[in-house]
């Protein structure tokens, strides 16, 4: 395929602190909300007992092994690595006046290591975690004070890393709070819709304040939002299905609308009114929201369908996002429907709507891998998945969509977010660790490692049009 990718396209991979670092109490780190969810982002909130070992406590030990891992990413030719800063390494409880120097020093070492290979960091300020201290003492994002604590944290890391980090993201999959409120906004199970939207509102204000701070402190930098791009299709062409699909797509596009357009979209007023949702939005909040992001980033794994047929919806409620399956698509081993064309469609939808550059910051296939007798791992299923999605990215670029880069999810095997499993592997690099935490943590290149290296080296020329 002849390359349609621009010369400075940011090829790379994406990980998150709580899924790779481990070292959950090292160098003064405080407990995060993620540390209290050993079963994953939908799991029960479980008090920590000293010496017990949730899989994330060690994860893949990136905290200590990052030099080796960065060297492997460099071998693939990465231009960019997305990771997050664990807020609790910097402000262990969340409400301290001064930051924890040992935590700041860790990310200095990490960014310096990346710089040695010319790998640009893309840094998420909050990826599915916040200090548990804030959830416990203040009720998480339900409390307005959390905006100030987050702003202090954001300003601290912008000041510290302004010469090392030029690309930032505020909150990972900010729309996920609707499905996992403790993970997203630190609210307990059973919170009301008004409480959840109030917390979301505070988070949106905090996001805008971080954007403002970034513009002031890192003027040549760029800061984006991060959406879970769960694009939905109508299951049928019944007008009712179409209208319901538009409504459900607005459930997540709402976040992008606020962050990219600088205020609440009109349709939310009716939604709030008809659902009895009360949200306090002050004039000062509205002013703060006017500071908009520079680019849109999103994750894309699958699409889904919407129907007004109650019987089909009943079955769909079994899956995480209540998506109705598309009869025209195959699924991964975890039931996620594989839809490369959906990525081209989504890129076009977002670009038409916002006219801002787009960054695909997560995409990939979670699958079980087998090590052959000769030690090789032949993950052709992963290669096919990624190839077919990247071909559609190239198509979207040809459609005129401005795409800044692509960071595949989990370039090295890591702990999965939804169920805290190691066996759901996304990596080009295998990590020897199982769901019980057994294994040497040794790293091993898979077949996809060499495939991705060639894709990057050829700037997409080596991709194969599936025809
Ligand atoms: C996204 C998250 O939802 O999907 C990641 O931002 C997560 O943190 C990824 O790991 C894949 O989900 P899972 O559950 O397969 O790890």
């Amino acid at each position: 395929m002849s390359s349609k990718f621009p010369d400075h396209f940011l090829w790379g991979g994406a990980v998150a602190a709580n899924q790779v670092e481990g070292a959950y109490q090292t160098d003064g780190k405080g407990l995060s909300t993620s540390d209290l969810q050993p079963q994953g982002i939908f799991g029960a909130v479980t008090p920590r007992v000293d010496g017990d070992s949730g899989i994330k406590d060690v994860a893949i030990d990136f905290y200590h092994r990052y030099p080796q891992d960065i060297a492997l990413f460099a071998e693939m030719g990465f231009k960019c690595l997305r990771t997050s800063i664990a807020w609790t390494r910097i402000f262990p409880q969340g409400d301290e006046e001064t930051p924890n120097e040992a935590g700041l020093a860790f990310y200095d070492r990490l960014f310096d290591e990346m710089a040695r290979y010319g790998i640009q960091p893309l840094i998420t300020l909050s990826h599915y975690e916040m200090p548990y201290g804030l959830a416990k003492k203040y009720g998480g994002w339900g409390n307005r004070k959390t905006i100030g604590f987050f702003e202090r944290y954001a300003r601290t890391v912008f000041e510290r890393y302004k010469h090392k980090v030029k690309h930032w993201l505020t909150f990972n999959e900010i729309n996920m709070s609707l499905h996992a409120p403790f993970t997203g906004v630190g609210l307990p199970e059973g919170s009301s819709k008004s409480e959840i939207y109030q917390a979301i509102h505070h988070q949106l204000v905090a996001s805008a304040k971080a954007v403002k701070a970034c513009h002031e402190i890192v003027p040549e930098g760029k800061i984006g939002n991060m959406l879970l791009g769960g694009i939905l299709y109508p299951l049928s062409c019944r007008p009712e299905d179409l209208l319901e699909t538009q409504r459900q797509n607005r459930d997540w596009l709402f976040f992008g609308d606020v962050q990219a357009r600088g205020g609440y979209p009109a349709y939310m007023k009716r939604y709030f009114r008809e659902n009895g949702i009360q949200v306090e939005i002050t004039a000062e909040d509205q002013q703060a929201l006017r500071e908009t992001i520079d680019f849109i980033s999103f994750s894309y794994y699958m699409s889904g369908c919407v129907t007004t047929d109650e019987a089909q919806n009943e079955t769909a409620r079994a899956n995480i996002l209540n998506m109705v399956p598309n009869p025209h698509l195959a699924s991964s081993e975890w039931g996620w429907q594989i839809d490369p064309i959906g990525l081209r469609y989504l890129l076009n939808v977002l670009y038409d709507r916002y006219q801002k550059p787009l960054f695909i910051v997560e995409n990939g296939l979670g699958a079980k891998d087998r090590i052959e007798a000769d030690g090789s791992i032949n993950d052709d299923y992963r290669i096919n998945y990624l190839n077919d999605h990247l071909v559609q990215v190239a198509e979207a670029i040809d459609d005129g969509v401005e795409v800044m880069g692509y960071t595949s999810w989990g370039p090295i095997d890591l702990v999965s977010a939804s169920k805290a499993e190691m066996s759901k592997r996304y990596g080009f690099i295998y990590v020897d660790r199982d769901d019980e935490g057994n294994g040497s943590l040794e790293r091993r290149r898979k077949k996809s490692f060499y495939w991705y290296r060639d894709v990057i080296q050829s700037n997409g020329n080596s991709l194969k049009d599936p025809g």
Side-chain angles (χ1 to χ4, degrees), residues 19 127-128 172-173 301 336 362 409 416-418 424 426:
Q19 291 171 261
H127 189 122
Y128 279 173
N172 182 63
E173 294 189 338
Y301 294 91
W336 293 16
E362 286 187 32
W409 178 250
S416 86
S418 45
K424 189 179 189 186
Y426 286 88

Side-chain angles (χ1 to χ4, degrees), residues 27-56:
D27 293 336
K29 179 182 171 299
L31 282 181
S32 72
T33 46
S34 167
D35 292 325
L36 273 88
Q37 286 180 298
Q39 304 307 322
I41 61 170
F42 302 103
V45 179
T46 313
R48 296 309 312 236
V49 182
D50 267 353
D52 93 358
S53 67
I55 192 95
K56 288 184 271 183

Side-chain angles (χ1 to χ4, degrees), residues 126-148:
S126 176
H127 189 122
Y128 279 173
E129 58 179 329
M130 70 186 299
Y132 179 58
L134 293 184
K136 198 165 81 176
K137 201 159 148 195
Y138 300 90
W141 285 100
N143 192 325
R144 234 167 221 289
K145 284 195 175 142
T146 301
I147 302 174

Side-chain angles (χ1 to χ4, degrees), residues 416-437:
S416 86
S418 45
K419 297 224 178 95
E421 297 164 300
M422 275 304 300
S423 51
K424 189 179 189 186
R425 297 175 180 275
Y426 286 88
F428 306 118
I429 302 160
Y430 184 91
V431 176
D432 179 26
R433 190 155 201 241
D434 67 17
D435 290 343
E436 279 68 52

Side-chain angles (χ1 to χ4, degrees), residues 87-102:
W87 184 350
T88 48
R89 291 202 191 281
I90 314 301
F91 290 98
Q93 299 302 316
D95 60 355
E96 294 89 346
E97 298 274 326
T98 49
N100 170 33
E101 177 52 35

Side-chain angles (χ1 to χ4, degrees), residues 342-358:
L343 179 53
R344 175 180 178 184
Y345 175 64
L346 175 60
L347 283 161
N348 276 280
V349 166
L350 293 173
Y351 197 61
D352 284 352
R353 195 174 182 106
Y354 301 122
Q355 296 283 301
K356 287 191 191 266
L358 305 177

